[in-house]
Amino acid sequence: MMKRILRGAGALALLVATGAPALGQVPFTPRALGMAGAYLGLARGQEALFLNPANLALPDGPRWSVGLLQFSAASSLLGPGFTDVWDMTQADKETPARRQELLDLVPAQGTEIEYDVRAPLFVLQNGGFSFGIGYGATGQHTVGKDIADLLINGYEDGRTDYSVGNTAGSRLTYWDAAVGYGHRFGALSLGVTGHYIRGGSAQHSRMFEPKVDVENRDISVEYLSVLAHGGNGYTVDVGAALQPMKSLTVSAAVENAASEMKWSDDLLVRDLVLDRADFDNFDVLNLKQKYDATEQPLDPSAITPRIYDTAQGLYDGGYFPAVAKVGLDWHPLGRTHLDVGYEKQMTDGSLAGRWKQTASVGVQERLPIITVRAGYATDLDASSLLSAGISLGPLELDVAKLDDGTWLGNPRNGWIGSFGLSVGTPRFGR
């Protein structure tokens, strides 16, 4: 079963799911996702570190809190649904009619998968001080329709017009060590969070046009990647929060108000050639091993036109844009929270989400045993997100359905899931 799951994940992105613009929008904490991002005014304790450090100093926050293994992941597909992709990974078991149906789901310009991962793995808060370590990744890969045909049906004898289309992708990953502090001045709280960013990898991948050997009934397709490991940078978040009354919190922040990111200049290359046997008996685990084994340092004197073309824009978008955010939390009945939020991306950069602006509303209700929440967000254009979640003791579980608009008339849909553990002293209204 595990091998089948991994085969499915690999087929989504051919060999690796590798990407540029992140999905909109993946919050940093499970509860924020459950309220569709309308959480800036409600975040307290360890949750405030990555949202608004000023909230660390609010009087209704916990004395201490800990967040563990918080993980949010989003994925969207253009054209086919996720169940259809699963069937594509086992196309050899499908009927000819079903294989044709699967191929028909792939748009003429090809399909695309995008993913975004944000994971504050450990966050500790004590009073107005908080420290945390997190991981982030964003990726995208397109697969041309003819390549999808090869994956579904294998090589067709005598056919010579296969095209890779726009089969290409990129990936950015990083680690984030954050320290935040908030201080209260009467009803007003101010805060700042500093982030040290350690680059994981930056990667561009591309497939080149196939070569067909009609006489030997074979096909060969080159899949090339240029990548860099490592890099260093920083970002600084600033925030303010106001509580004119116990039942009302107004919170505002500028994420990445100052930032800088420098990726490694030491480039590497991976180069794998797929043939008919690879397509007819597609095994992503085996191909991934062969692909990884080809990695070697890039010799500047041996740069080919293909390597040059693949490396173009390797670091494009590999930095953190400034994002202005404002939120309001109102809990008139103590156990019920009504929240609204708005955020807008002020500068360029891919490491904060694709949506340039987001408006969101959310509600949370604390019941005797569990806490439930729901929310709705929109980019004020064609994309929207509908979410829900629960808390059961320290366990947080949240999910959202993403309708991310269309591209050339084809729908782009996806899901966001989040879970984590959160413990701390009780606080007002929770």
Side-chain angles (χ1 to χ4, degrees):
M1 174 61 73
M2 180 58 67
K3 183 174 181 178
R4 290 171 63 192
I5 293 173
L6 290 174
R7 280 173 58 97
L12 283 171
L14 189 60
L15 296 177
V16 287
T18 62
L23 294 163
Q25 298 296 102
V26 183
F28 280 98
T29 70
R31 279 187 281 224
L33 174 62
M35 295 178 69
Y39 202 69
L40 196 68
L42 183 54
R44 300 292 190 274
Q46 53 88 15
E47 295 174 312
L49 176 65
F50 290 101
L51 295 174
N52 184 1
N55 289 19
L56 291 167
L58 291 174
D60 55 358
R63 289 189 299 275
W64 64 269
S65 61
V66 177
L68 294 172
L69 303 177
Q70 299 177 93
F71 182 87
S72 298
S75 183
S76 72
L77 273 170
L78 180 68
F82 286 94
T83 56
D84 297 316
V85 173
W86 173 258
D87 289 345
M88 289 179 185
T89 69
Q90 307 176 83
D92 58 330
K93 300 177 182 178
E94 303 291 343
T95 65
R98 176 55 176 162
R99 289 200 296 269
Q100 185 59 49
E101 180 184 356
L102 292 172
L103 184 60
D104 290 342
L105 291 172
V106 178
Q109 71 275 13
T111 188
E112 178 185 55
I113 181 175
E114 293 188 353
Y115 74 87
D116 191 6
V117 173
R118 298 189 186 187
L121 300 176
F122 173 79
V123 187
L124 171 67
Q125 171 263 330
N126 184 20
F129 173 82
S130 185
F131 166 79
I133 295 179
Y135 174 81
T138 176
Q140 168 266 347
H141 207 295
T142 53
V143 178
K145 184 152 187 170
D146 282 353
I147 298 302
D149 190 357
L150 281 165
L151 294 174
I152 295 171
N153 296 309
Y155 175 68
E156 179 183 339
D157 282 336
R159 181 175 171 182
T160 61
D161 62 346
Y162 285 104
S163 172
V164 299
N166 184 28
T167 302
S170 56
R171 179 182 65 194
L172 294 166
T173 68
Y174 60 91
W175 289 91
D176 181 353
V179 178
Y181 179 74
H183 189 78
R184 182 159 55 97
F185 304 88
L188 178 67
S189 298
L190 301 176
V192 61
T193 296
H195 303 259
Y196 167 71
I197 307 299
R198 176 61 181 173
S201 64
Q203 179 171 331
H204 268 197
S205 302
R206 183 175 175 184
M207 183 171 280
F208 292 88
E209 291 300 336
K211 297 178 180 179
V212 177
D213 186 343
V214 177
E215 181 178 352
N216 293 309
R217 299 189 300 174
D218 204 353
I219 187 172
S220 62
V221 186
E222 182 181 15
Y223 187 79
L224 180 67
S225 295
V226 176
L227 62 156
H229 295 310
N232 296 280
Y234 73 88
T235 71
V236 178
D237 307 334
V238 295
L242 180 67
Q243 276 192 333
M245 58 185 72
K246 287 185 177 181
S247 62
L248 182 66
T249 302
V250 181
S251 186
V254 178
E255 183 181 319
N256 311 318
S259 66
E260 182 176 282
M261 187 67 200
K262 174 66 175 178
W263 293 91
S264 172
D265 293 327
D266 297 326
L267 300 182
L268 303 102
V269 63
R270 295 176 182 174
D271 193 0
L272 180 67
V273 176
L274 293 85
D275 59 19
R276 176 174 185 168
D278 294 321
F279 288 114
D280 288 351
N281 304 283
F282 190 71
D283 185 341
V284 71
L285 296 180
N286 180 54
L287 290 176
K288 183 67 165 60
Q289 291 176 351
K290 291 168 60 177
Y291 166 77
D292 290 342
T294 67
E295 181 173 303
Q296 59 182 336
L298 177 59
D299 182 354
S301 65
I303 296 178
T304 66
R306 289 189 170 188
I307 292 176
Y308 180 83
D309 290 343
T310 303
Q312 292 302 298
L314 178 62
Y315 306 114
D316 287 357
Y319 45 89
F320 296 83
V323 181
K325 305 183 291 185
V326 62
L328 185 147
D329 170 59
W330 182 43
H331 52 100
L333 302 178
R335 295 174 179 265
T336 303
H337 289 262
L338 304 174
D339 285 68
V340 296
Y342 176 78
E343 63 180 65
K344 184 176 181 61
Q345 186 170 314
M346 309 299 291
T347 60
D348 293 332
S350 296
L351 299 178
R354 183 171 59 216
W355 291 5
K356 300 302 181 183
Q357 61 179 346
T358 305
S360 54
V361 296
V363 59
Q364 177 175 277
E365 179 70 24
R366 184 163 61 94
L367 303 174
I369 299 178
I370 65 173
T371 299
V372 296
R373 51 194 163 267
Y376 174 81
T378 173
D379 69 345
L380 302 178
D381 189 9
S383 300
S384 62
L385 182 149
L386 187 64
S387 67
I390 62 170
S391 298
L392 182 61
L395 180 63
E396 314 282 354
L397 294 172
D398 298 83
V399 67
K401 178 68 172 67
L402 178 67
D403 180 357
D404 219 5
T406 61
W407 184 55
L408 296 180
N410 298 288
R412 188 197 310 268
N413 300 304
W415 290 89
I416 307 175
S418 186
F419 66 86
L421 299 174
S422 179
V423 296
T425 57
R427 59 193 177 198
F428 179 79
R430 294 294 294 222

